[in-house]
Amino acid sequence: MAKPLFDPQQLPVDGIAGEPAVPAGRLTAAWLRARLADPPRWQPEPQLEFSARPVPTPASVLVPLVERADGITVLLTRRTAHLTDHPGQISFPGGRAEAFDDSPVETALRETEEEIGLHRRHIEVIGVLPDYLTATGYCVTPVVALVTPPFEVTPDEDEVAEIFEVPLSFLMDGANHQRMSFPLPEGGSRSFYAIPFGPYFTWGATAGMLRNLFHLLRA
């Protein structure tokens, strides 16, 4: 079983990002659709990860924004503990690109259906976020989509241990974004973000991509 080099939940919190929350009026399907269709000039989060490969492997994830009656949620997964890359971590559904995928969007839709059984008929792609380079050597394209209930999900038991949703309003509040860091074997340290919610500890690349969505919606 692959094991992480450290347990992020045991590290001290260096600080809280603390930016004001995205206004509630911006967390609606219509506003999100318009913002992603015509984004203003905005500054992505500085890339905090580094690649383990000289040429990163292309990959895509879906950022599923679920239109619930009491507000939009973000659908996330917890990876199984035996996976080689990011075992047990919170992630978006997705994976590496295949040669037969026509685009990063197609990769995200295919991988989402394979991992959690969410059919694309429920998914409306509304835009993409900047590519994100992970420490495990992937160049990930986050594909943002609105998801319309009712829908069914069935996790691939080999890859997905759990599927859950978190309110978008919670994730889009800088008061909930923790800054943390871990020491490097060669000296120095590397910083990352974490967004705890109940029993779920979202950190690293997934938190970094959520930070980019946060910056885009606040711009």
Side-chain angles (χ1 to χ4, degrees), residues 61-62 64 74-80 83 86 88-94 111-112 115-117 153 155-156 159-166 200-202 206:
V61 297
L62 194 74
V74 179
L75 186 150
L76 292 161
T77 72
R78 182 167 57 82
R79 293 166 63 82
T80 53
L83 292 174
H86 309 286
Q89 291 187 20
I90 304 304
S91 68
F92 296 115
E111 283 282 342
T112 295
E115 280 192 4
I116 65 171
V153 290
D156 177 343
E159 296 188 40
V160 177
E162 187 177 358
I163 302 168
F164 62 97
E165 297 177 28
V166 177
Y200 304 108
F201 191 83
T202 302
T206 302

Side-chain angles (χ1 to χ4, degrees), residues 84-175:
T84 300
D85 293 329
H86 309 286
Q89 291 187 20
I90 304 304
S91 68
F92 296 115
R96 72 178 65 199
E98 301 291 352
F100 50 78
D101 290 334
D102 293 334
S103 66
V105 170
E106 177 60 29
T107 299
L109 293 174
R110 174 184 57 77
E111 283 282 342
T112 295
E113 189 163 5
E114 291 176 2
E115 280 192 4
I116 65 171
L118 178 59
H119 196 279
R120 63 184 66 197
R121 68 175 173 271
H122 301 289
I123 300 171
E124 176 194 352
V125 173
I126 60 174
V128 297
L129 298 174
D131 288 349
Y132 196 95
L133 191 65
T134 74
T136 46
Y138 291 93
C139 182
V140 181
T141 301
V143 177
V144 184
L146 294 169
V147 182
T148 305
F151 56 83
E152 294 183 358
V153 290
T154 304
D156 177 343
E157 294 182 358
D158 188 56
E159 296 188 40
V160 177
E162 187 177 358
I163 302 168
F164 62 97
E165 297 177 28
V166 177
L168 180 62
S169 58
F170 181 89
L171 296 172
M172 295 296 102
D173 185 346

Side-chain angles (χ1 to χ4, degrees), residues 31-72:
W31 197 94
L32 292 166
R33 192 180 288 114
R35 170 52 56 100
L36 270 293
D38 186 22
R41 182 172 296 181
W42 65 286
Q43 185 64 45
E45 188 74 34
Q47 181 73 67
L48 301 179
E49 300 255 11
F50 62 97
S51 177
R53 300 186 182 112
V55 180
T57 301
S60 292
V61 297
L62 194 74
V63 182
L65 308 179
V66 183
E67 299 180 66
R68 298 295 183 189
D70 55 352
I72 290 179

Side-chain angles (χ1 to χ4, degrees), residues 171-189:
L171 296 172
M172 295 296 102
D173 185 346
N176 300 321
H177 301 174
Q178 300 177 352
R179 288 193 300 266
M180 309 179 81
S181 59
F182 63 94
L184 297 173
E186 63 272 21
S189 64

